[in-house]
Amino acid sequence: MAREPDAPPEDKESEAEAKADGETASDSESRVEAVTLPTSVDDTPEVLNRALSNLSSRWKNWWVRGILTLAMIAFFFIIIYLGPMVLMMIVMCVQIKCFHEIITIGYNVYHSYDLPWFRTLSWYFLLCVNYFFYGETVTDYFFTLVQREEPLRILSKYHRFISFTLYLTGFCMFVLSLVKKHYRLQFYMFGWTHVTLLIVVTQSHLVIHNLFEGMIWFIVPISCVICNDIMAYMFGFFFGRTPLIKLSPKKTWEGFIGGCFATVVFGLLLSYVMSGYRCFVCPVEYNNDTNSFTVDCEPSDLFRLQEYNIPGVIQSVIGWKTVRMYPFQIHSIALSTFASLIGPFGGFFASGFKRAFKIKDFANTIPGHGGIMDRFDCQYLMATFVNVYIASFIRGPNPSKLVQQFLTLRPDQQLHIFNMLKSHLTDKGMLTAATEDE
């Protein structure tokens, strides 16, 4: 029998070091698998349990999910009515809860190793990242207020340096917490925390940015994801026969296709209704005089009815030559299509994550639905798409922000820009025309 070649000296040394530390890759995996995570429990309210006791488990689950879905939709309407500030606070609360659910899974997996400072450092990094992102938001959207208050102005000026210093402190704390025999696991959890921050905190920051562009950019995408989730479940429940993906055995092609069609129609109708109200289409801005948010403006062309010619093939079917609709409705088709075709992959990703750790749900916060993260796994992916979509196809230069930046310059710099602008407008003939009109 042929003798296998000896391992290279450097490999032997690394293996010896790993054994000396008492940690090998196979040991880590076997120990992780040995940990038993908490199983999901039935926390359905007793009132519903008694009312639905005569139904089969399939129909009982259907009614529980349906009733609590309606309750969540009602809560969604209430927070929309309460305004942008409440919406931002809810986004912050959802972010913290989602972070807690994911970090708790990691803590339960590695709890037996008694890793030092894991939870403390995880929450500290959450604080650091939120300080950075929300500080950037305050500087960007509350510029006048920041410049008016001296402490805020100083914090704004050195914001990124302070944020980096805070993160560096946490990084050094992590290095100091490293314990022999647990190096590999501690680095696992360091990566776990940072990936969670990337998925949860970064996306929630984008949600708030979308909100500032106008509440319609917040409500329509979220509503499309909700609609797709509901309609895919309904079509799958009543007509589902063909499995869609192994990660989610209950998902079916019938539910996927039916949810897609229903979501596109829903997105068109919702966009038509909301485009007629200034409180939904106007950007959310901070009023320094009243110290409150305002959503009043002259709607852009995106939210004004226009007439479109219908292609000849469709004319022969419906008998219409033209149709009046808001340009935003065309954009809503892109949003709803993404919500129904790509958005579910956020759910599939979450399903794969849960299967990897042999759990049914992230938590038991909402009976019949699981944890908060179970409800927002698709929303985070949608938030990123909306933010990229706005930046690529919608947003243009913001005159108010340019003026704000202009006012922070030194007088000689302001005068230089003024002369350059005057010369530019004179060359184009615009300044002379304005003078003649006066």
Side-chain angles (χ1 to χ4, degrees):
M1 185 184 300
R3 179 174 176 268
E4 292 184 359
D6 293 337
E10 58 271 18
D11 289 350
K12 288 183 177 180
E13 291 176 4
S14 61
E15 289 176 7
E17 290 176 359
K19 290 179 179 179
D21 289 342
E23 191 74 55
T24 64
S26 59
D27 290 340
S28 300
E29 291 175 2
S30 61
R31 289 180 181 179
V32 169
E33 289 178 359
V35 177
T36 303
L37 292 175
T39 56
S40 298
V41 296
D42 182 12
D43 56 354
T44 305
E46 188 61 29
V47 176
L48 289 179
N49 274 329
R50 286 199 301 266
L52 305 174
S53 58
N54 295 327
L55 298 178
S56 65
S57 59
R58 181 170 182 262
W59 279 101
K60 178 183 176 181
N61 182 63
W62 190 88
W63 277 105
V64 170
R65 287 176 65 95
I67 293 171
L68 292 172
T69 296
L70 292 176
M72 288 188 287
I73 292 174
F75 178 71
F76 184 56
F77 283 135
I78 292 173
I79 62 174
I80 289 174
Y81 174 78
L82 293 175
M85 193 64 188
V86 175
L87 281 172
M88 292 179 202
M89 293 174 62
I90 293 296
V91 170
M92 182 70 173
C93 293
V94 168
Q95 173 214 119
I96 293 173
K97 180 57 179 170
C98 289
F99 181 84
H100 171 259
E101 290 178 358
I102 298 177
I103 288 298
T104 298
I105 293 174
Y107 183 75
N108 288 331
V109 169
Y110 300 113
H111 178 66
S112 59
Y113 296 101
D114 195 24
L115 299 182
W117 296 7
F118 166 56
R119 279 200 166 182
T120 302
L121 284 174
S122 296
W123 288 100
Y124 176 80
F125 281 125
L126 176 66
L127 177 65
C128 292
V129 175
N130 271 308
Y131 176 81
F132 171 74
F133 280 127
Y134 280 92
E136 293 285 312
T137 301
V138 169
T139 302
D140 197 19
Y141 291 99
F142 300 82
F143 185 84
T144 306
L145 175 64
V146 169
Q147 294 300 315
R148 192 173 62 196
E149 302 292 336
E150 183 65 18
L152 291 177
R153 190 178 64 81
I154 295 174
L155 287 174
S156 174
K157 183 177 181 180
Y158 301 106
H159 171 68
R160 295 195 175 185
F161 181 79
I162 295 172
S163 300
F164 178 72
T165 303
L166 290 172
Y167 178 82
L168 201 59
T169 302
F171 179 81
C172 293
M173 290 170 63
F174 167 75
V175 174
L176 293 174
S177 72
L178 291 173
V179 177
K180 195 173 184 179
K181 297 184 179 180
H182 300 323
Y183 291 153
R184 190 189 303 274
L185 292 177
Q186 287 181 284
F187 278 101
Y188 281 167
M189 298 317 301
F190 184 78
W192 185 296
T193 299
H194 281 68
V195 171
T196 304
L197 291 172
L198 176 65
I199 293 174
V200 176
V201 182
T202 305
Q203 312 305 319
S204 63
H205 175 68
L206 297 180
V207 170
I208 292 178
H209 268 252
N210 298 340
L211 177 60
F212 275 106
E213 295 295 328
M215 290 183 67
I216 195 169
W217 292 104
F218 174 86
I219 297 172
V220 170
I222 287 181
S223 299
C224 284
V225 172
I226 294 172
C227 174
N228 182 71
D229 191 34
I230 294 173
M231 298 310 297
Y233 177 77
M234 296 287 286
F235 276 94
F237 185 87
F238 290 106
F239 309 108
R241 296 291 183 274
T242 313
L244 175 63
I245 187 171
K246 291 182 178 179
L247 283 173
S248 297
K250 293 183 179 180
K251 299 289 193 301
T252 63
W253 275 105
E254 291 81 1
F256 185 76
I257 296 172
C260 177
F261 176 77
T263 303
V264 172
V265 174
F266 172 80
L268 283 169
L269 295 176
L270 181 63
S271 299
Y272 180 84
V273 173
M274 295 187 66
S275 294
Y277 295 90
R278 293 189 179 188
C279 60
F280 293 131
V281 304
C282 290
V284 178
E285 296 180 345
Y286 183 76
N287 190 316
N288 294 288
D289 297 328
T290 61
N291 288 325
S292 61
F293 289 102
T294 59
V295 284
D296 188 25
C297 68
E298 188 64 30
S300 65
D301 292 338
L302 199 62
F303 304 105
R304 293 180 180 177
L305 282 171
Q306 297 183 20
E307 196 167 90
Y308 294 91
N309 293 322
I310 298 177
V313 177
I314 302 178
Q315 285 185 23
S316 60
V317 177
I318 63 176
W320 298 348
K321 294 184 178 181
T322 61
V323 61
R324 285 175 60 82
M325 60 187 300
Y326 295 99
F328 179 79
Q329 289 181 269
I330 299 175
H331 294 290
S332 75
I333 296 175
L335 299 179
S336 56
T337 300
F338 183 91
S340 55
L341 294 182
I342 308 299
F345 280 84
F348 300 152
F349 177 86
S351 296
F353 180 87
K354 288 182 286 187
R355 280 180 170 271
F357 295 99
K358 298 179 175 61
I359 57 175
K360 180 182 179 182
D361 299 310
F362 283 96
N364 298 310
T365 309
I366 310 171
H369 291 268
I372 298 296
M373 190 64 199
D374 290 287
R375 293 299 89 211
F376 284 85
D377 46 14
C378 300
Q379 296 288 2
Y380 286 126
L381 193 61
M382 187 71 190
T384 305
F385 172 74
V386 174
N387 191 269
V388 172
Y389 189 88
I390 292 173
S392 303
F393 304 107
I394 305 299
R395 185 189 296 132
N398 190 325
S400 62
K401 290 184 179 179
L402 292 175
V403 172
Q404 290 174 354
Q405 294 177 351
F406 176 80
L407 294 176
T408 60
L409 300 175
R410 298 193 310 269
D412 60 314
Q413 293 175 324
Q414 294 179 1
L415 184 60
H416 177 67
I417 293 177
F418 170 77
N419 290 329
M420 289 178 61
L421 184 60
K422 179 181 177 182
S423 176
H424 175 73
L425 294 176
T426 302
D427 292 341
K428 284 197 166 187
M430 299 174 62
L431 189 60
T432 303
T435 304
E436 290 177 354
D437 290 339
E438 291 178 0

